[in-house]
């Protein structure tokens, strides 16, 4: 939009509004979580109008409709003054012909977007005069109220990469663990190491969705921005997460260049963002062949508990790198790389609770043993929750944590889920379900109330219809299932058909490869560390309830086999923990009916699971709810 044309439209709008309503106009209102500005907001008589102009446009572009809808939903969810307000998103295509419309409010007081031309504004405001208001809201109170966003990890990475502070894009209310406090503690450890020429490692813990990755990205971005000589980097062994973040940052950088008039090629953007976010295995392989001091002084290892054991690393090095005598775990090698520094360095390890999901993942123990046996001169800082069973499963790791050399910090633990901004107790509910504790699960679910709907169904089509009916604007939907869910195939769910993470997580609802199409399903390996707004969680017989206890199974050849080893049982539970904590706003759980004629999926494999989940308080989807 050209500036002069935009100003002309604002003047026209102001005169039109003044003739009908008294209220306050806010021009170019900032939407911090989204890093964008709404053209205009009118607050009047308990209604918040969010108005977006498309000057000179004859039609109503789908992206523009989603944009103004997203603005309205963002205000409703994250802006305190808008929680109880009626919100009407309005798209004005200034050259469009007169359009008939009906003002319809959703259950939360957010209207379906109104699309009008220049001549439709008076009709809109006249109709709005008769709609119900949730609560009156005054302009001064609305403007002064707090904005407490919970960004997706993709939005957070984009904002932090643009040098926004973590406090600008994250919640700061007293009920949530303060991300700034954690970031400040890590920054203090880095500064002390730098000042006193020491080497340090710190372990940050957090429940699923609590903001560990956000804290790590914040450290990497802020150190890189303000301390260029440190060359801070965010590393992750989670391939899909790295792929999606880098693609999102590169796309955003190209778009920002278009907006500012700077031509930036996709390849140049990808090259730049690769210095900020890297795959941990690429980092490892680089320093296998390069014996010099590393370029980076500060490294953040996301999901550090997933680093490989000595056995797994040795097998890989022999088979893939031709190194027959490699005998270090991945943590030992990575600390050794940073130990090459002659002066100082800091490693930040982000440890998720119940996140080990694959064979050969070391957990916390390998990191602690490496420090104890080879790097005893390093200073160790740890979360006070590190020895909790959800973070440390091995007894020898617990014993190592009792060392007087380890300094414990309460603010290195993130205790409240922020992914599910409507349901901070979601992780407690999921833990109780996976513990088989009906009473605790029911209590936790009751505490969620209506803020975070969780439903059960035995019909996949109904589940898809429900997801489509819940999502508004660009809210992302998708199906998820365990990587062991081989017998969902008769339902049309093929877990062996790999998704393209960039397309699945980033492309819009018109792209058949995107999650929106509800055709391709993401497994725990695809989606760990990422998120959806609304998830359809598909439950197979690999984890099934039998007489009050979980039974663990793996499909081999043409039949199910019992999983006996405790480690693999933990991996399977954690796979479902990951899948059940991916949705920000709500989810529906699909448990098949099975088929009495198919010995690999008789109803008995699914019925007890369904009844257990229903016994935990999850209501069954009613037919009219999915329409």
């Amino acid at each position: 939009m050209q500036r002069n044309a935009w100003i002309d439209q604002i003047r026209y709008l102001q005169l039109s509004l003044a003739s009908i309503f008294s209220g306050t106009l806010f021009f170019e209102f900032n939407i911090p979580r989204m890093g964008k500005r709404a053209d205009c907001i009118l607050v009047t008589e308990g209604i918040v109008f969010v108005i977006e102009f498309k000057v000179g446009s004859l039609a109503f572009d789908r992206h523009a409709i989603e944009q103004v809808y997203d603005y309205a939903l963002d205000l409703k969810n994250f802006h305190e003054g808008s929680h109880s307000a009626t919100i009407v998103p309005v798209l004005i295509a200034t050259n469009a012909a007169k359009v008939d419309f009906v003002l319809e409010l959703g259950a939360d007081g957010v209207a379906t977007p109104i699309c009008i031309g220049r001549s439709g504004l008076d009709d809109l405001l006249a109709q709005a005069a008769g709609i119900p208001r949730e609560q009156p809201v005054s302009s001064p109170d609305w403007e002064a109220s707090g904005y407490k966003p919970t960004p997706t990890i993709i939005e957070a990475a984009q904002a932090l990469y643009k040098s926004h502070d973590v406090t600008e894009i994250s919640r700061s209310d007293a009920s949530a663990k303060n991300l700034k406090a954690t970031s400040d503690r890590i920054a203090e450890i880095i500064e002390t190491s730098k000042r006193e020429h020491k080497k340090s490692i710190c372990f940050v813990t957090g429940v699923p969705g609590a903001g560990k990755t956000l804290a790590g990205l914040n450290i990497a971005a802020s150190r890189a921005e303000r301390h260029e000589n440190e060359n801070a980097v965010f590393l992750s062994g989670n391939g899909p997460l790295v792929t999606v973040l880098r693609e999102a940052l590169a796309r955003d950088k190209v778009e920002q260049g278009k907006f500012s008039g700077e031509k930036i090629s996709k390849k140049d953007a990808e090259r730049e963002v690769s210095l900020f976010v890297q795959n941990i295995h690429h980092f490892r392989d680089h320093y296998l062949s390069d014996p010099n001091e590393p370029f980076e002084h500060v490294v953040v290892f996301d999901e550090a508990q997933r680093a490989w054991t000595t056995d797994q690393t040795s097998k890989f090095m022999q088979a893939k790198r031709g190194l027959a005598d490699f005998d270090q775990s991945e943590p030992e090698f990575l600390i050794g790389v940073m130990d090459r520094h002659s002066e100082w360095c800091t490693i930040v390890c982000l440890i998720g609770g119940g996140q080990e999901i694959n064979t050969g993942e070391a957990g916390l123990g390998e990191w602690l043993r490496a420090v104890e046996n080879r790097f005893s001169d390093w200073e160790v800082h740890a979360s006070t929750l590190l020895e909790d069973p959800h973070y440390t499963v091995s007894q020898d790791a617990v014993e190592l944590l009792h060392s007087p050399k380890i300094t414990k910090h309460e603010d290195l633990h993130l205790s409240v889920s922020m992914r599910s901004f409507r349901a901070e107790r979601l992780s407690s509910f999921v833990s109780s379900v996976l513990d088989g504790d009906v009473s605790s699960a029911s209590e936790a679910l009751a505490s969620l109330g209506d803020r975070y709907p969780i439903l059960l169904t035995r019909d996949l089509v109904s589940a898809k219809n429900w997801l489509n009916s819940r999502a508004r604007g660009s809210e992302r939907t998708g199906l998820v299932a365990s990587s062991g869910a081989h017998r969902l195939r008769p339902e049309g769910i093929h877990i062996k058909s790999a998704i393209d993470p960039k397309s699945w997580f980033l492309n819009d609802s018109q792209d058949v490869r995107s999650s929106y199409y509800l055709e391709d399903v993401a497994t725990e390996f695809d989606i760990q560390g990422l998120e959806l707004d609304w998830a359809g969680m598909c439950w197979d017989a690999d984890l099934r309830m039998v007489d009050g206890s979980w039974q663990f199974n793996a499909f081999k050849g043409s039949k199910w086999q019992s999983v006996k080893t405790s480690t693999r049982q933990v991996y399977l539970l954690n796979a479902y923990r990951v899948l059940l904590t991916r949705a920000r706003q709500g989810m529906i759980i699909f448990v098949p009916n099975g088929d009495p004629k198919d010995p690999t999926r008789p109803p008995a494999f699914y019925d007890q699971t369904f009844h257990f989940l229903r016994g935990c308080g999850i209501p069954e989807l009613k037919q009219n709810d999915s329409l």
Side-chain angles (χ1 to χ4, degrees), residues 541-572:
D542 52 341
L543 183 66
R544 65 183 85 141
M545 181 58 65
V546 178
D547 298 332
S549 299
W550 289 116
Q551 188 181 92
F552 308 90
N553 302 274
F555 195 76
K556 303 292 184 182
S558 62
K559 63 181 180 180
W560 292 102
Q561 296 180 3
S562 179
V563 173
K564 301 292 187 182
T565 63
S566 58
T567 300
R568 289 183 62 204
Q569 291 178 359
V570 169
Y571 290 157
L572 185 50

Side-chain angles (χ1 to χ4, degrees), residues 1 92 182 191 251 355 361 430 456 474 492 513 544 557:
M1 179 188 307
I92 300 179
T182 301
E191 287 299 327
R251 289 185 186 184
Q355 299 289 290
E361 292 181 355
V430 171
L456 269 173
S474 63
R513 299 166 297 174
R544 65 183 85 141

